[in-house]
Amino acid sequence: MANIQDVAKKAGVSVATVSRVLNNHSSVTEKTRIKVEKVISELSYEPSMLGRNLRTSESKLLLVLLPSVSNPYYTEIINGIEETAIRNGYNILLCETDSNPERESRYFSLVKNRMADGIISMDPAVNKERLFELAKTYPIVQCSEYDKGADIPFVTINSELAAYHAVKHLIKLGHKKIALLTSDEQFLYARERRLGYERALREFDIEVNKQRIYYAGNIGFENGQQGMRSLLELDDRPTAVFAVSDILAIGALKEINSNGLRVPNDIAIVGFDKISFSNMTYPTLTTIAQPMYRMGSMSATMLINKIQGKHVESIVMDHELVIREST
Amino acid sequence: MANIQDVAKKAGVSVATVSRVLNNHSSVTEKTRIKVEKVISELSYEPSMLGRNLRTSESKLLLVLLPSVSNPYYTEIINGIEETAIRNGYNILLCETDSNPERESRYFSLVKNRMADGIISMDPAVNKERLFELAKTYPIVQCSEYDKGADIPFVTINSELAAYHAVKHLIKLGHKKIALLTSDEQFLYARERRLGYERALREFDIEVNKQRIYYAGNIGFENGQQGMRSLLELDDRPTAVFAVSDILAIGALKEINSNGLRVPNDIAIVGFDKISFSNMTYPTLTTIAQPMYRMGSMSATMLINKIQGKHVESIVMDHELVIREST
DNA sequence: TTGAAAGCGCTAACAA
DNA sequence: TTGTTAGCGCTTTCAA
């Protein structure tokens, strides 16, 4: 495999000139450029990023940290990140933590070892302490999940307000017995969405009934089923459910169907996230849409700016209630 | 940030010795090793992979090429690849082609530029010609999709046999009017699954009725809906459908539900892939399970062996019919 | 067991 | 506009 020396020799120029051609420096004459390009093509020369990276002390790789690629919530965000990364000459290293601290720590090493130039963290279960520590030395931004007061720029939506909108929509439809299907409150988004839920109820003088709040231990489909099962067993059954994620909502939907009840006639459902599958259920799911693609794209832009030493501000994006068949 | 020189100086040894400590060479005395490790920890030294990579001419990155991360078919395979990669000191570069040749070519450059040590290709729409050409110079393996006669090792299942099993299952349930919901036959898997479908029918003396075969232009959920719609319009409506992917099957399921028909009473459905959602539908989907995780894991092992210059053989893995509520 | 030194392939400062 | 040269951080050969 040819290297820059071979090209220089064969073209009768110095390696510096070849490098200039490779990097489109304006100082090279047309004639020299043509000559060098001809040799490059003759030798099928491909510049080694390994050499360039060592020299420039960068890897042009962005590390994207997420709990699991199988969670459809992340797919559009990833698309946004990747598109923007590529447009700026970066590639992404998609890293699944599986909420496993050992894996997380291995991925953190990647940036310490210069294999990645920065991190976009989307893992709600990330070890905050270590993330904050790392952020002192390396460029990091958070996407979706974030931490108030931490000195890490983030991109997110207003979860409290979005939940408020979702629940208000159910109230406007005449529902009073509205259940909340949420997840462990160690996650900020769960706390905020509960607050939005409670605010909407209070605003319409509906009592917040603790029995109607189900805290799922995990965020899987089965947890949605299980939560719905226990809500259905209540003496005073709810007529509507607000789930803090589509996956939970889809679990609830299946449980309702399995009990011979109809959605939305017997029970209405609102989900959260607008994952692609929320459109494939029967009935389709009313849900809160986050501007996933733009969130990803914005995180990438922010991270790249941060890598380049620019100052970066956090940003809160808009959400949208998408009304479909389940309400 | 400290480098290997700083460590050497402070420890009073040469950089060679520090390097030996880093790479666990046995020739270092316990005493020296302790001394060096102490300094490493004092300086919070982290070795730069950039320097190491240039020196060893490898990136320790595997490029994984797939059409889209949002296709749940790939998620378990990716898990298998990643786990195996990490265990062998590699990381993966997940690359979405979106079936876009320009993107594909940019990813191919990554391996030409030494940014990746090899490729696992899972994209059925990959440009065969260029892939074969690339495979002459760089380590490549194919997963799921493969090419007969090409000199590229692959991991796959026997699609023809799996389809045969799926259709035979429907026949055993008493179905005679069995439709096939398939995709464009430019893909090998579609051709093979049709052959399996036809073989099962012929074996039980059921005529292959061209009208009952729907070729979807694309592999999305909507294509499944649309295909089912046109199958429902047939004068002699099928009583069962075999879809070559779960996503198509889920589209079909929704269309059937929307027409007030019941699954499996009015129409039975078998899918293919056992994606996680196939368990979340109402009713749950009978489907063909591929050993996704093992396929991913095996591809990674094969690729790493290939990178290390070992000889690698292709492998055909087992599948399994998973009978659930839709039949 | 350890050290000196070369060199992986490239970029960029400086000189011409 | 082009060339010379140092050096990015590491591994490895050879010699001691």
Side-chain angles (χ1 to χ4, degrees):
Chain A
M1 256 173 272
N3 63 19
I4 198 171
Q5 307 254 28
D6 302 329
V7 176
K9 200 176 297 170
K10 181 154 183 199
V13 298
S14 71
V15 293
T17 299
V18 178
S19 175
R20 288 186 190 106
V21 170
L22 292 173
N23 294 284
N24 294 314
H25 280 232
S26 53
S27 74
V28 185
T29 54
E30 185 70 3
K31 198 175 141 203
T32 322
R33 220 199 65 232
I34 306 254
K35 184 170 62 181
V36 171
E37 279 170 348
K38 183 159 163 288
V39 174
I40 285 176
S41 134
E42 281 169 10
L43 295 179
S44 306
Y45 165 69
E46 298 276 352
S48 161
M49 292 301 160
L50 300 179
R52 174 178 298 174
N53 289 347
L54 174 59
R55 179 58 223 228
T56 58
S57 294
E58 54 181 7
S59 62
K60 289 288 181 182
L61 250 31
L62 306 181
L63 195 153
V64 176
L65 218 57
L66 73 179
S68 154
V69 284
S70 59
N71 186 336
Y73 170 73
Y74 297 105
T75 55
E76 265 305 295
I77 301 184
I78 295 170
N79 285 334
I81 295 175
E82 179 149 43
E83 181 70 38
T84 302
I86 287 184
R87 222 183 25 249
N88 288 278
Y90 286 82
N91 281 284
I92 69 174
L93 219 40
L94 217 52
C95 298
E96 290 192 300
T97 61
D98 276 333
S99 302
N100 172 345
E102 198 200 321
R103 276 201 148 181
E104 180 184 280
S105 121
R106 183 156 26 205
Y107 292 135
F108 281 170
S109 297
L110 250 30
V111 57
K112 291 187 191 160
N113 294 333
R114 278 44 131 227
M115 270 298 274
D117 295 341
I119 300 179
I120 296 177
S121 171
M122 304 204 279
D123 186 0
V126 73
N127 181 325
K128 311 284 183 196
E129 213 171 300
R130 288 204 305 197
L131 190 73
F132 297 166
E133 184 58 36
L134 209 63
K136 290 181 188 161
T137 315
Y138 305 95
I140 297 183
V141 313
Q142 285 187 290
C143 182
S144 280
E145 190 69 9
Y146 67 102
D147 293 277
K148 286 175 175 158
D151 199 20
I152 303 180
F154 56 81
V155 180
T156 190
I157 59 157
N158 187 333
S159 264
E160 194 272 346
L161 186 62
Y164 168 82
H165 284 150
V167 175
K168 189 167 165 182
H169 164 64
L170 289 169
I171 295 171
K172 291 285 184 195
L173 289 171
H175 293 283
K176 293 203 178 324
K177 295 186 280 186
I178 302 170
L180 174 67
L181 193 49
T182 184
S183 63
D184 195 313
E185 294 218 342
Q186 71 178 105
F187 304 131
L188 180 61
Y189 77 88
R191 297 197 295 277
E192 293 192 333
R193 291 175 197 180
R194 178 174 52 74
L195 291 177
Y197 161 82
E198 293 176 353
R199 175 156 70 94
L201 293 186
R202 271 199 299 273
E203 188 173 312
F204 289 86
D205 292 324
I206 301 173
E207 185 201 4
V208 175
N209 182 339
K210 293 279 180 206
Q211 292 214 307
R212 296 214 178 96
I213 303 183
Y214 182 90
Y215 295 94
N218 215 320
I219 55 166
F221 165 74
E222 298 78 9
N223 304 94
Q225 283 184 293
Q226 194 179 324
M228 196 64 228
R229 201 170 307 138
S230 80
L231 289 172
L232 286 175
E233 282 167 2
L234 291 178
D235 293 333
D236 195 11
R237 209 173 65 195
T239 63
V241 180
F242 167 53
V244 299
S245 84
D246 283 346
I247 295 282
L248 288 176
I250 289 168
L253 173 62
K254 174 140 175 73
E255 187 63 26
I256 294 171
N257 280 330
S258 300
N259 279 269
L261 297 169
R262 310 288 297 181
V263 173
N265 297 353
D266 298 316
I267 300 183
I269 302 184
V270 179
F272 207 113
D273 291 342
K274 195 171 176 252
I275 63 173
S276 62
F277 196 58
S278 68
N279 200 26
M280 305 185 196
T281 53
Y282 181 73
T284 54
L285 212 56
T286 292
T287 188
I288 297 280
Q290 304 187 38
M292 309 283 217
Y293 186 91
R294 283 197 301 124
M295 287 168 71
S297 166
M298 179 56 76
S299 325
T301 303
M302 283 165 59
L303 181 59
I304 292 168
N305 281 338
K306 199 136 202 275
I307 289 169
Q308 295 173 349
K310 296 181 194 154
H311 177 73
V312 167
E313 289 287 350
S314 296
I315 182 165
V316 176
M317 293 201 160
D318 289 333
H319 59 265
E320 189 189 352
L321 177 68
V322 178
I323 298 171
R324 294 196 289 213
E325 298 164 359
S326 70
T327 57
Chain B
M1 254 173 274
N3 63 21
I4 200 171
Q5 308 255 25
D6 301 329
V7 176
K9 199 176 299 170
K10 181 154 182 199
V13 298
S14 71
V15 293
T17 299
V18 178
S19 175
R20 288 185 190 107
V21 171
L22 291 174
N23 295 285
N24 293 314
H25 280 230
S26 53
S27 73
V28 185
T29 53
E30 185 70 2
K31 200 176 141 202
T32 320
R33 219 199 65 231
I34 305 256
K35 186 170 59 180
V36 172
E37 279 171 349
K38 184 159 162 290
V39 174
I40 285 176
S41 131
E42 280 169 10
L43 296 180
S44 307
Y45 165 69
E46 298 275 353
S48 161
M49 292 301 161
L50 300 179
R52 173 177 300 175
N53 289 347
L54 174 59
R55 180 57 223 232
T56 59
S57 294
E58 54 182 6
S59 62
K60 290 287 182 183
L61 251 28
L62 306 182
L63 195 152
V64 176
L65 218 57
L66 73 178
S68 153
V69 285
S70 60
N71 186 337
Y73 170 74
Y74 296 105
T75 56
E76 265 306 295
I77 301 184
I78 295 170
N79 285 334
I81 296 176
E82 178 150 44
E83 182 69 35
T84 302
I86 287 185
R87 225 185 19 251
N88 289 278
Y90 286 82
N91 281 285
I92 68 174
L93 220 38
L94 218 52
C95 299
E96 290 191 299
T97 61
D98 277 332
S99 302
N100 172 345
E102 197 200 322
R103 275 201 147 183
E104 181 183 280
S105 120
R106 182 156 29 204
Y107 292 135
F108 281 170
S109 298
L110 250 29
V111 57
K112 291 186 191 159
N113 294 332
R114 291 12 148 241
M115 269 298 274
D117 296 341
I119 299 179
I120 296 177
S121 171
M122 304 203 278
D123 186 0
V126 71
N127 181 324
K128 311 285 182 195
E129 213 171 302
R130 289 205 304 197
L131 190 72
F132 298 165
E133 184 58 34
L134 210 63
K136 290 181 189 162
T137 315
Y138 305 95
I140 297 184
V141 313
Q142 284 187 293
C143 183
S144 281
E145 190 68 11
Y146 68 102
D147 292 278
K148 287 175 175 159
D151 199 20
I152 304 180
F154 56 82
V155 180
T156 190
I157 58 158
N158 187 333
S159 264
E160 194 272 346
L161 186 62
Y164 168 81
H165 284 151
V167 175
K168 189 167 164 182
H169 164 64
L170 288 170
I171 295 172
K172 291 284 184 195
L173 288 172
H175 292 283
K176 294 203 179 322
K177 293 186 280 186
I178 302 171
L180 174 67
L181 194 49
T182 185
S183 64
D184 195 312
E185 294 217 341
Q186 71 178 109
F187 305 130
L188 180 61
Y189 77 87
R191 296 197 295 276
E192 292 192 333
R193 289 175 198 180
R194 179 174 53 73
L195 291 177
Y197 161 82
E198 292 177 353
R199 175 156 71 93
L201 292 186
R202 271 199 299 273
E203 187 173 314
F204 289 87
D205 292 323
I206 301 172
E207 183 201 6
V208 176
N209 182 340
K210 295 277 180 206
Q211 290 215 307
R212 295 213 179 99
I213 302 183
Y214 182 91
Y215 295 93
N218 214 319
I219 55 165
F221 163 75
E222 298 78 10
N223 305 95
Q225 283 184 293
Q226 195 179 323
M228 196 65 228
R229 201 170 306 137
S230 79
L231 289 171
L232 287 176
E233 283 166 2
L234 291 178
D235 293 332
D236 195 13
R237 208 174 66 195
T239 63
V241 179
F242 168 53
V244 300
S245 84
D246 284 345
I247 294 284
L248 288 176
I250 290 170
L253 174 61
K254 177 146 173 70
E255 187 62 25
I256 294 171
N257 279 330
S258 300
N259 279 271
L261 297 170
R262 310 288 296 181
V263 173
N265 297 352
D266 297 316
I267 300 184
I269 302 185
V270 179
F272 207 114
D273 290 343
K274 194 172 177 251
I275 62 173
S276 61
F277 283 135
S278 67
N279 200 26
M280 303 185 195
T281 52
Y282 180 74
T284 55
L285 212 56
T286 292
T287 189
I288 297 280
Q290 304 188 38
M292 310 284 218
Y293 186 91
R294 282 197 301 125
M295 288 168 70
S297 169
M298 179 56 76
S299 325
T301 303
M302 283 165 58
L303 182 57
I304 292 169
N305 281 337
K306 200 138 204 273
I307 289 169
Q308 295 173 350
K310 297 182 193 154
H311 177 72
V312 167
E313 288 287 351
S314 295
I315 182 165
V316 176
M317 293 201 161
D318 289 332
H319 60 265
E320 189 189 351
L321 177 67
V322 179
I323 299 170
R324 294 196 290 213
E325 298 163 0
S326 71
T327 57

